[in-house]
Structure formats: C-alpha cells, structure tokens
Amino acid sequence: MSDENNKNVSALPEGEVERLTEDIIVALKTVFDPEIPVDIYELGLIYRVDIGDDRNIDIDMTLTAPGCPVAGEMPGWVENAVGSIPGVQSVTVNMVFDPPWDQSRMSDEARVALDMW
C-alpha cells in the first residue's frame, strides 16, 4: 500500500489516540476564561487538536473576542494543562481568529451554565 492510502493510520499503539483524546479533553476542561464561568472546551474555543505519532499535540484555539484581557496568557494555560498529560511530548497552541467565535459554538452544557436558553 502506498503512503497515500495510510494517511489516517496512526503509528501509536491501538487505543493510545483514544486515551490521549480523552485526557486532552479533560485537561482542556480545566482551563477557564476568567470572565466566563465555563471552560474553554464547552465554550467552543478549541477549533482543532492534532495528535502526532510522536505525541506532539498541535491545538488551534480562539478567544471570545480578539481583545480578550487574557489573550496573552490563555495559550500558556492550555499548553500547561495539556502538557501535564502523561505521554505528551510537546504542545503547540496556535491562536486563530478565522472563523470568528460566536455563541453557536458553545455546547448545551455551556448554554445552561450561562442561562442562555
């Protein structure tokens, strides 16, 4: 088989991607925007998480607004939370603003917590 056919096959041991995915979600749910009592995962601020075969994690995230007071700090909080997971080699957090965040990205859990029904 060519590499083209194996693009989505991980070199990680069976079950490892699932374990890391679950652990990453748990870690992301420990990070909160100080102005909003909901974690960044439920707010929909995480756009993409890529788990490399080398266990390097690449995350695209955004903020509720580009001028958010913690814009400079939050990527570090995410990096520290995900970097503390056993087996993770490194974490890169990329701040993106396209597409812009809006309330439709929030989970039902976040909507309930913010009384937005």
Side-chain angles (χ1 to χ4, degrees):
M1 253 193 267
S2 71
D3 287 1
E4 187 75 21
N5 293 332
N6 289 322
K7 265 187 177 172
N8 294 324
V9 177
S10 175
L12 294 174
E14 187 176 337
E16 184 72 1
V17 172
E18 291 80 10
R19 182 195 67 80
L20 282 170
T21 299
E22 290 171 12
D23 289 351
I24 289 168
I25 291 170
V26 168
L28 292 171
K29 289 170 79 64
T30 67
V31 180
F32 287 77
D33 182 324
E35 298 179 337
I36 305 171
V38 177
D39 68 77
I40 63 169
Y41 185 81
E42 297 298 338
L43 275 175
L45 299 183
I46 303 300
Y47 284 2
R48 183 184 66 84
V49 176
D50 181 59
I51 301 170
D53 289 344
D54 51 7
R55 292 181 175 82
N56 292 331
I57 313 300
D58 192 45
I59 299 172
D60 288 350
M61 68 169 292
T62 195
L63 301 169
T64 54
C68 177
V70 294
E73 298 170 59
M74 197 173 294
W77 300 343
V78 171
E79 185 177 331
N80 290 338
V82 175
S84 70
I85 297 169
V88 167
Q89 295 302 308
S90 70
V91 181
T92 302
V93 179
N94 308 296
M95 192 62 67
V96 298
F97 294 101
D98 186 29
W101 179 87
D102 64 47
Q103 293 179 0
S104 70
R105 296 185 173 280
M106 292 191 307
S107 69
D108 289 345
E109 182 179 313
R111 293 175 193 282
V112 168
L114 297 174
D115 198 25
M116 297 184 77
W117 286 105

